[in-house]
């Protein structure tokens, strides 16, 4: 006969008498996540010239949209276009920083990685330009055209 200690306990291990360290609640973790994200945008805005250009262009676009009285659909299109450019620029910045970290010297794949990420920003900016021309073009032409 085998000793009882060699059989696994069907109820599992005994509970730990010392409670585990209390983790912050879900709401606090979510708030901290937003804080980290906002810090990332702020750092990128302070350090990235292209993002500063996009920020200035965004202010101009928003002011022009308010002046021209865009419809809700037009605002939605402009918001998606502006958000797409900002997103692409932030992802590009993150990819460039990570590439610099893992490949401080020149490497062809590091260069390719940076070029592809920059290409994504270019495509997002060209798409935003197309949206801008389609949304703002007729309104600007009607107001200030010949």
């Amino acid at each position: 006969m085998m000793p009882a200690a060699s059989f696994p306990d069907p109820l599992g291990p005994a509970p730990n008498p010392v409670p585990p360290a209390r983790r912050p609640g879900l709401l606090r973790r979510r708030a901290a996540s937003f804080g980290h994200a906002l810090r990332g945008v702020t750092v990128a805005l302070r350090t990235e010239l292209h993002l500063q250009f996009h920020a200035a262009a965004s202010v101009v676009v928003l002011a022009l949209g308010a002046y021209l009285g865009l419809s809700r659909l037009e605002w939605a299109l402009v918001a998606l276009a502006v958000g797409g450019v900002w997103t692409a620029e932030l992802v590009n910045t993150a990819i460039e920083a990570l590439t610099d970290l893992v490949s401080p010297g020149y490497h062809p794949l590091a260069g390719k990685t940076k070029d592809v990420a920059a290409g994504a920003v270019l495509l997002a900016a060209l798409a935003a330009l197309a949206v801008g021309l389609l949304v703002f073009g007729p309104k600007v032409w009607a107001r200030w055209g010949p």
Side-chain angles (χ1 to χ4, degrees), residues 4 15 31 35 40 42 48 56 58 72 74 76 83 98 115 118 122 129 134 142:
T42 302
E48 297 299 318
S58 297
R72 285 180 10 173
E74 291 168 331
L98 186 59
D115 291 346
L122 177 63
L129 177 63
L134 291 168

Side-chain angles (χ1 to χ4, degrees), residues 1-138:
M1 181 167 196
M2 296 182 76
S6 65
F7 290 105
D9 187 351
L11 300 177
N16 188 352
V18 179
R22 185 176 168 105
R23 292 181 50 191
L26 178 65
L27 191 56
R28 281 196 180 158
R29 289 195 312 264
R30 292 300 133 231
S33 294
F34 281 110
H36 298 310
L38 288 175
R39 186 175 64 231
V41 173
T42 302
V43 167
L45 264 172
R46 279 195 223 133
T47 60
E48 297 299 318
L49 183 62
H50 290 111
L51 194 58
Q52 293 168 3
F53 170 78
H54 292 305
S58 297
V59 169
V60 170
V61 164
L62 295 175
L64 185 61
Y67 177 75
L68 294 174
L70 298 183
S71 70
R72 285 180 10 173
L73 176 60
E74 291 168 331
W75 274 118
L77 294 170
V78 168
L80 287 171
V82 169
V85 171
W86 275 74
T87 300
E89 189 65 57
L90 288 170
V91 169
N92 178 50
T93 299
I95 288 172
E96 286 188 354
L98 186 59
T99 302
D100 290 343
L101 174 68
V102 300
S103 182
Y106 176 77
H107 191 282
L109 288 177
K112 180 179 179 180
T113 300
K114 288 183 169 189
D115 291 346
V116 170
V121 177
L122 177 63
L123 287 180
L126 290 174
L129 177 63
V131 169
L133 290 173
L134 291 168
V135 170
F136 290 103

